[in-house]
Amino acid sequence: MPLRPTILATALAALLACGGGPADAPPEVVELVHTAGVDEGVVALIAEHVARARSRPTDAEARATLAMVFEANELWSEAEQAWRDALAFEDENEVWRYHLAICARQRGGAEEALELVRRVAKALPDMPGARHRLGAMLLEAGDEAGARREFEAAIELVDFAPPCYVGLAEVMVRTGDPARAAQLCRRALALDPESKHAHYTLGLAYRDLGRMDEAEVELNKGLNASRRYLSDPLTKRIERFRVGYTVRMLEANRLEKAGKLPEAAAILESLLLRHPQDHTLLNNLAAVLTRQGKTDRALELLGRAAEVTPGEFSTHINLAACYLDMGNFPLALENAEEACRLAPKVGQAHFVRARAYLALGRTGEAYAELKEAAALDSTAGIFRALLGEVAGRLGEHDAAVEHLEAAIRMMPGYLPAFAVLCRLHHGRGERREALEVLQRTRQAFPNHPETAALGRLLGAQ
Amino acid sequence: MLRLCHLVAAASTASLVACGPGDGGARPAPAPPPASPTWFWEHAAASGLDFVHVRAHQQRFWIPETVTGGGGFLDYDGDGRLDVYCVQGGDPVPQNQTNEPNRLFRQEADGTFTDVTDTAGVGDRGYGFGCTAGDHDGDGDTDLYVCNLEGNVLFRNEGDGTFTDVTEAAGVGEPRWSSAASFFDYDRDGDLDLFVVNYLNWKPEHELPCQTSYGERDYCNPINYNAPTRDTLYRNEGDGTFTDVSEQVGLGAGTGTGLGLACADFDGDGRVDVYVTNDGMPNHLWLQLEPGRFTDRALLAGCAVNSSGAPEAGMGVHAVDVESDGDWDLFMTHVREQTNTFYRNQGSSFADTTASTGLSAASVPFTGFGLGFHDFDLDGEIDLFVANGRVGLWPPALSETDPYAEPNQLFLGRGDGSFEEVPGGGAPAVALGTSRAAAFGDVDDDGDVDILYIDAHASVRLLQNDLPRAGNWIGLSVLGESTAAALGATVRVRTGERDRFRIVHTSYSYCATNDPRVHLGLGAAERADEVEVRWPDGQGERFGPLEAGRYHTLRKGEGR
């Protein structure tokens, strides 16, 4: 594969910026030469800002705005160069340098990024984002004392920002003070109960304190976490330039996971205007709409997806789920069967077939399907939860308990697994076990109506 | 509902300039390396190793193409010289009979290699990944197990220069896509069992149209396929057959996307455990908490995910005692933007101490696969080689001929648990490739460790270690009751007041089989004062003192 022209252009621009060009000539405006396949909206936005920068070749702000466009759409190499160009005109702009560091880190320049952020934090000691990010970078570099200093400074500046507490807690775990780490994580979770990073770090702290049961719960809650960074004076502006398919899809995914379904749907709908035949987009939007109860629209989109890419197992899984929500169980089963035929080794296909069987009252077949699904993907807690519930219905008590306990370990935030397990024990007259599950439920969901209902059921108000 | 996540492959960039030199001057070794050192000279073609790996004849962007490339060292004919086996890719289409065969090269007395594939009968044509070597039938010669996309193969060494495919009779033809495997004696019954790491439940019809954010077609993340799978444990029945005991021993409790494995007693209870690196999913630490029963404790032990709680793209792995404290630490390679990770064994848990090893920032720009810790310069301190190569199109390309190529890396051990990168990876003259397996062994029996690595879709590379020596060395052939290596034995080597610990194993790195001999640099020490071997059955024996500068054979029952 030949070296791509965009890279050559960038490299040339870099050479010129390093002194290879005429003495007073401004650096060439960075552009995206190779545009085939790049999202049309991104190409148009870049073209607009390239033209703007070219019309004002010595305007630092125009270069910086172009850098923001590149950065917003994760075109890191071009963004990095554009930030360098902007700084060539306005070297004292530390917020720009901060973003140069972000882009340099993204393309792998960890050491340069650290030095850049170090300089920014020194010049702008009251910029919480820089102090927090410097703390994270120092932690990665093994400088725990430096990281501690920066996280503490960030907390002084913004005592309401959970990532600062989690960062400091990480330092405490590494330096052998798990008690303090746990305290910091609990503070972070009080501010943001959904912070997976805080849960994970709290799990490590509990482990080091010897509180293994709690550690396991918290570590599972924290699985698939990612480090969050604080916003800075350019964050909102850069977000407005996020028009690319990839970043918008990921943003929608993030919003959906956070439960912000209307916002996620809005992003996906806007993308669909430009990509009406995109099979992935159609499926993902249908998934969000189904969760919102908008099954008619979801069905329409899935029908389109099936036309665009016939024989795609994921569309049939989503169709089956949609029909289940609509109460059309025969069609749900038909699509689930097709999904299993197309992808016999995909756990989700068997899971949705199990749900269809259950809806049709075919419990035994559902149980077999759920076992198959769980064997294919042991990481899906939801499979184990339903498997436990069905095992309980079929009188396989020990298996039910095992699966439900596994589901609780894998999804400590999934209340139905606790409730089913509690009711299962209660139904068998196992009061001590039921009360123990109730206690765990109260710890995990202290104010939930279902918790109260379980308490009433067991007469343990 | 099913969400199709990350269908568009993440795309970002790598530096045009590879990692620069370390700060230099801090290394206490007696003979510091030159400023632009060439540690290794590439001798593959000159020595007759003419294997050319094929990732795919027609690039379809199917995921098997990204991780193929295995091979390594074994002494198949028992002449004391390491031979070479290379695993071929081809085209990952189902039931494909047209792939080029794997190849076996016999090392001659003059150090050249002769292709003996046909004579030996090991030219399997499956779309291949890793391989492992060990004496599964206890007859004293080295057998070979090959991991394939569809159906693994066990070749029994007949002891006369030929092998017989005994897969079916032995019952080890794992039909799932396997990446790596290891022979080890988990039940301490004296024969070698087999752990097989599986990657994905994949078929061509599951492929997805992934792209970079520049709109180019590219390989998908394995998580896109939503098809993790379970690993397999075959118990050796001692009569040439194996039984799949995966469910029985507890492996059914965890699925993943496995690429690498390390077998060692991580919790110090005397029973061997297994660590599996998963690609984009939490890793598994299968602890044998009770005999014959494995439980995944990776999350609680702190070695399932990174320090933020995020799963990483685990590739190769090596269980090694970098700190010489008698327990097995873990180092594993990851995709770019994630650091490679060093997990220090703390007894009952692991701590991610990558940052303090100096191996963190240097790994961020690259995607690591094969790796090995050895004392390449014989100064007494363990060093590290990492084989790199991309799995996606991340501009700028570093090679005009291979957009996935990256430089390999060599790190000098400072002796305090930290490392310093050697510019140019110790072999600056070798062209960049997309490296996958890296195997380690003293191929020329001159007392230092050489490297064989497989570049995807390119010629095999043999790096012969020609560095001026910074100290003495000692080699140990640790043999069980037959003449084959006692895989799973551990060795403590004492020089003066210092102990060094090693495992006798062939399966570490990525998709590689390695020289089973234990090799140590001794620095200024002129002998090993004492060598203690802990055999796989738990018994211990002591040998020595043993003089430096040669290989010693330590046979079970001949110590004290």
Side-chain angles (χ1 to χ4, degrees):
Chain A
M1 189 171 293
L3 195 63
R4 292 147 40 88
T6 181
I7 304 312
L8 292 173
T10 308
L12 180 61
L15 282 173
L16 290 171
C18 289
D24 296 315
E28 295 249 345
V29 175
V30 183
E31 60 178 322
L32 192 65
V33 177
H34 182 77
T35 56
V38 180
D39 186 281
E40 288 170 20
V42 177
V43 172
L45 193 64
I46 290 170
E48 177 191 334
H49 285 276
V50 166
R52 186 164 165 263
R54 282 199 176 131
S55 70
R56 298 179 231 170
T58 57
D59 182 348
E61 177 60 28
R63 303 294 184 121
T65 307
L66 178 59
M68 288 182 230
V69 172
F70 284 128
E71 182 180 328
N73 293 289
E74 299 186 355
L75 300 165
W76 301 112
S77 185
E78 289 83 355
E80 182 184 357
Q81 190 52 51
W83 282 121
R84 287 190 200 283
D85 293 347
L87 283 159
F89 293 107
E90 198 174 310
D91 185 57
E92 68 280 10
N93 193 318
E94 299 300 332
V95 178
W96 292 359
R97 195 177 328 282
Y98 180 65
H99 281 271
L100 168 60
I102 292 170
C103 299
R105 176 65 176 78
Q106 286 291 338
R107 62 96 181 134
E111 290 174 7
E112 185 195 358
L114 173 58
E115 290 315 309
L116 288 166
V117 176
R118 208 192 287 271
R119 178 172 163 180
V120 174
K122 189 174 178 186
L124 299 175
D126 293 336
M127 183 178 166
R131 304 303 295 269
H132 171 261
R133 191 177 290 266
L134 178 57
M137 287 177 155
L138 290 170
L139 195 60
E140 185 180 274
D143 180 357
E144 282 134 1
R148 176 178 181 157
R149 183 187 62 241
E150 295 305 320
F151 287 132
E152 285 177 341
I155 290 170
E156 283 286 313
L157 293 166
V158 280
D159 64 359
F160 51 84
C164 304
Y165 293 100
V166 182
L168 187 54
E170 277 191 274
V171 175
M172 295 301 158
V173 168
R174 289 206 196 173
T175 54
D177 189 353
R180 172 88 173 118
Q183 190 182 29
L184 289 160
C185 288
R186 285 193 291 265
R187 180 78 190 272
L189 286 166
L191 293 163
D192 177 10
E194 303 300 316
S195 168
K196 280 177 169 266
H197 193 183
H199 280 296
Y200 185 76
T201 309
L202 181 58
L204 293 177
Y206 280 155
R207 182 198 68 186
D208 292 349
L209 288 166
R211 296 163 62 173
M212 294 307 188
D213 289 346
E214 293 161 283
E216 196 163 5
V217 169
E218 293 300 330
L219 289 167
N220 273 292
K221 280 186 184 175
L223 261 187
N224 299 310
S226 57
R227 190 180 293 280
R228 291 187 195 166
Y229 293 99
L230 307 185
S231 58
D232 64 71
L234 294 180
T235 303
K236 284 193 175 167
R237 210 173 148 203
I238 289 173
E239 276 175 4
R240 285 202 294 273
F241 292 129
R242 290 166 71 94
V243 296
Y245 175 97
T246 310
V247 290
R248 301 280 285 166
M249 284 283 273
L250 292 172
E251 177 68 3
N253 197 16
R254 188 185 66 77
L255 287 167
E256 193 207 345
K257 280 183 181 166
K260 297 180 177 175
L261 301 180
E263 291 88 342
I267 289 175
L268 295 171
E269 291 278 15
S270 71
L271 281 174
L272 195 63
L273 294 174
R274 280 206 298 274
H275 306 279
Q277 304 293 305
D278 187 302
H279 159 261
T280 305
L281 185 53
L282 288 163
N283 267 283
N284 287 7
L285 178 54
V288 174
L289 292 170
T290 302
R291 280 187 66 187
Q292 289 183 288
K294 298 177 179 177
T295 46
D296 287 343
R297 168 88 171 130
L299 208 54
E300 176 204 331
L301 295 172
L302 291 168
R304 206 194 301 173
E307 282 175 23
V308 171
T309 315
E312 177 55 52
F313 72 92
S314 52
T315 305
H316 288 284
I317 291 174
N318 287 335
L319 275 168
C322 196
Y323 281 125
L324 278 168
D325 281 12
M326 296 171 78
N328 191 337
F329 305 138
L331 268 180
L333 181 59
E334 190 178 303
N335 279 281
E337 300 275 14
E338 183 63 6
C340 287
R341 189 187 66 77
L342 291 166
K345 297 293 185 185
V346 171
Q348 283 277 5
H350 292 277
F351 180 68
V352 78
R353 183 153 73 174
R355 288 182 58 206
Y357 281 143
L358 280 176
L360 290 164
R362 295 160 64 175
T363 312
E365 289 159 284
Y367 191 41
E369 284 300 317
L370 287 166
K371 282 183 180 172
E372 179 74 16
L376 287 168
D377 184 358
S378 66
T379 60
I382 191 73
F383 296 180
R384 300 295 290 272
L386 192 54
L387 186 54
E389 184 179 346
V390 174
R393 278 195 223 172
L394 293 171
E396 296 202 13
H397 182 255
D398 290 346
V401 171
E402 183 189 332
H403 292 307
L404 288 164
E405 288 287 6
I408 289 170
R409 278 198 304 277
M410 294 158 80
M411 300 189 301
Y414 186 61
L415 175 59
F418 289 85
V420 171
L421 182 60
C422 186
R423 290 175 192 278
L424 183 73
H425 285 306
H426 175 69
R428 290 177 54 87
E430 296 167 351
R431 182 168 173 75
R432 186 176 57 81
E433 288 83 355
L435 285 171
E436 187 272 326
V437 177
L438 174 63
Q439 188 185 353
R440 284 192 276 156
T441 312
R442 281 175 168 160
Q443 281 174 355
F445 313 95
N447 302 313
H448 200 283
E450 178 68 16
T451 309
L454 290 173
R456 285 194 297 276
L457 178 71
L458 300 184
Q461 300 295 327
Chain B
M1 290 179 87
L2 184 66
R3 201 78 70 264
L4 303 179
C5 58
H6 311 302
L7 257 184
V8 180
S12 50
T13 57
S15 170
L16 266 171
V17 182
C19 277
D23 54 6
R27 185 176 164 73
S36 301
T38 293
W39 285 38
F40 302 97
W41 295 94
E42 207 286 309
H43 281 300
S47 60
L49 291 174
D50 60 355
F51 175 80
V52 179
H53 178 263
V54 178
R55 178 169 48 211
H57 290 106
Q58 174 199 340
Q59 189 176 21
R60 296 175 172 86
F61 293 99
W62 290 357
I63 192 166
E65 298 165 14
T66 62
V67 287
T68 175
F73 294 118
L74 74 163
D75 178 11
Y76 86 99
D77 52 359
D79 64 357
R81 291 187 287 273
L82 288 177
D83 311 301
V84 167
Y85 190 70
C86 299
V87 181
Q88 187 55 279
D91 279 318
V93 295
Q95 311 297 320
N96 188 357
Q97 301 298 316
T98 61
N99 290 334
E100 290 85 348
N102 300 342
R103 290 173 71 187
L104 176 64
F105 296 90
R106 182 182 66 214
Q107 188 182 169
E108 310 294 353
D110 62 0
T112 63
F113 289 88
T114 304
D115 185 339
V116 294
T117 309
D118 291 341
T119 315
V122 289
D124 181 60
R125 291 177 185 267
Y127 191 92
F129 297 90
C131 61
T132 190
D135 179 16
H136 86 277
D137 52 1
D139 64 355
D141 49 38
T142 301
D143 310 301
L144 185 61
Y145 188 75
V146 181
C147 297
N148 283 328
L149 184 62
E150 299 174 302
N152 299 343
V153 181
L154 175 62
F155 290 111
R156 184 180 66 205
N157 192 330
E158 303 297 357
D160 59 359
T162 69
F163 289 79
T164 303
D165 180 346
V166 295
T167 312
E168 194 173 338
V172 290
E174 170 61 76
R176 285 175 287 190
W177 173 359
S178 303
S179 45
S182 180
F183 285 112
F184 75 134
D185 184 9
Y186 84 96
D187 53 3
R188 290 179 157 192
D189 64 352
D191 52 33
L192 289 174
D193 310 297
L194 180 62
F195 195 102
V196 181
V197 173
N198 298 316
Y199 189 48
L200 280 177
N201 275 315
W202 176 90
K203 286 185 176 177
E205 52 266 37
H206 297 164
E207 270 301 337
L208 302 161
C210 294
Q211 299 175 349
T212 69
S213 59
Y214 291 88
E216 293 168 305
R217 182 71 197 272
D218 204 357
Y219 294 102
C220 294
N221 182 316
I223 302 307
N224 291 138
Y225 301 92
N226 198 30
T229 186
R230 163 177 71 61
D231 298 323
T232 303
L233 176 59
Y234 291 110
R235 184 180 65 211
N236 192 333
E237 302 298 355
D239 59 359
T241 69
F242 289 78
T243 302
D244 181 347
V245 294
S246 313
E247 294 292 340
Q248 184 182 326
V249 301
L251 298 188
T255 50
T257 45
L259 285 178
L261 83 166
C263 301
D265 177 12
F266 292 106
D267 55 357
D269 64 358
R271 290 183 286 271
V272 67
D273 313 302
V274 183
Y275 184 81
V276 176
T277 53
N278 287 313
D279 186 2
M281 293 182 68
N283 300 321
H284 291 133
L285 176 62
W286 294 108
L287 292 183
Q288 200 175 168
L289 296 175
E290 53 187 288
R293 186 76 191 169
F294 290 89
T295 306
D296 179 20
R297 283 295 172 88
L299 192 59
L300 205 54
C303 56
V305 292
N306 70 12
S307 59
S308 304
E312 298 191 301
M315 313 289 194
V317 62
H318 193 173
V320 62
D321 183 15
V322 168
E323 298 168 321
S324 296
D325 58 356
D327 54 28
W328 307 112
D329 311 306
L330 286 162
F331 182 80
M332 65 212 63
T333 47
H334 289 135
V335 75
R336 73 186 297 274
E337 292 183 21
Q338 300 171 356
T339 67
N340 294 336
T341 301
F342 182 79
Y343 286 116
R344 183 165 59 82
N345 192 332
Q346 303 183 126
S348 58
S349 65
F350 289 85
D352 177 349
T353 60
T354 316
S356 61
T357 62
L359 297 169
S360 177
S363 65
V364 170
F366 304 119
T367 297
F369 278 86
L371 74 147
F373 285 90
H374 290 278
D375 183 359
F376 295 109
D377 61 350
L378 308 177
D379 67 347
E381 308 304 340
I382 205 162
D383 311 308
L384 169 66
F385 180 85
V386 179
N388 293 314
R390 296 176 184 176
V391 293
L393 293 171
W394 299 317
L398 304 180
S399 157
E400 292 199 10
T401 55
D402 180 355
Y404 302 97
E406 286 183 339
N408 296 330
Q409 293 174 288
L410 179 67
F411 299 87
L412 274 177
R414 288 187 172 118
D416 58 358
S418 72
F419 295 82
E420 171 188 337
E421 187 172 4
V422 177
V430 181
L432 300 191
T434 307
S435 299
R436 295 295 181 251
F440 302 85
D442 182 3
V443 75
D444 49 3
D445 275 323
D446 65 348
D448 51 33
V449 176
D450 311 296
I451 305 168
L452 178 97
Y453 64 87
I454 305 288
D455 280 345
H457 218 64
S459 299
V460 64
R461 301 289 191 182
L462 177 63
L463 299 186
Q464 285 193 316
N465 185 340
D466 288 331
L467 188 73
R469 293 176 179 185
N472 290 319
W473 65 278
I474 193 166
L476 306 170
S477 289
V478 183
L479 308 182
E481 283 157 359
S482 76
T483 54
L487 299 184
T490 59
V491 174
R492 177 180 62 82
V493 178
R494 166 154 290 196
T495 52
E497 295 299 309
R498 180 171 179 181
D499 286 328
R500 294 177 179 83
F501 298 85
R502 299 287 188 273
I503 307 175
V504 179
H505 54 174
T506 56
S507 295
Y508 59 89
S509 183
Y510 173 82
C511 287
T513 189
N514 298 273
D515 186 350
R517 294 175 297 182
V518 169
H519 185 281
L520 295 103
L522 297 180
E526 294 182 348
R527 65 177 189 174
D529 299 314
E530 180 181 82
V531 176
E532 180 180 7
V533 178
R534 182 68 53 185
W535 302 102
D537 64 5
Q539 295 178 42
E541 278 182 68
R542 294 180 183 203
F543 298 83
L546 302 174
E547 66 176 308
R550 53 167 286 218
Y551 282 97
H552 300 267
T553 298
L554 311 183
R555 210 178 293 276
K556 190 177 183 191
E558 295 182 357
R560 57 181 188 275

